[in-house]
Amino acid sequence: MNPSRPQDFLLSAAKGTRVVVRYRIEGGFTDALGELLSAAAGSCTIRTRQSDVEIPLELVVAAKAVPPPPPRRNARNGA
């Protein structure tokens, strides 16, 4: 097993790890940023801010762990 393959990273990463995954779509590539919910031989599921995204591992071209998001800022007062 080649540990530099993004598929291998996803299969070995702990559930709950925050990841970014680049994968092929018709006409190019797109990214999914969020929490790794699951990874099996055929696909992985990432919980993004909008929805859970299931990605076939054969379409993955890059994947890595990323740090937690920065804390949200407080809203500014209009005064």
Side-chain angles (χ1 to χ4, degrees):
M1 181 158 79
N2 181 353
S4 65
R5 289 180 359 122
Q7 294 85 350
D8 295 336
F9 163 74
L10 291 167
L11 291 169
S12 65
K15 291 178 185 165
T17 301
R18 188 165 187 253
V19 297
V20 62
V21 178
R22 176 158 290 173
Y23 60 100
R24 289 185 191 90
I25 58 170
E26 188 174 327
F29 299 93
T30 193
D31 296 327
L33 171 65
E35 177 185 346
L36 178 64
L37 295 181
S38 66
S43 67
C44 67
T45 303
I46 309 297
R47 174 159 290 156
T48 69
R49 278 205 248 175
Q50 281 86 29
S51 66
D52 292 354
V53 179
E54 185 172 350
I55 305 166
L57 289 178
E58 65 191 25
L59 301 181
V60 173
V61 296
K64 66 179 182 177
V66 294
R72 290 189 170 223
R73 292 181 169 190
N74 292 332
R76 288 186 180 196
N77 291 343

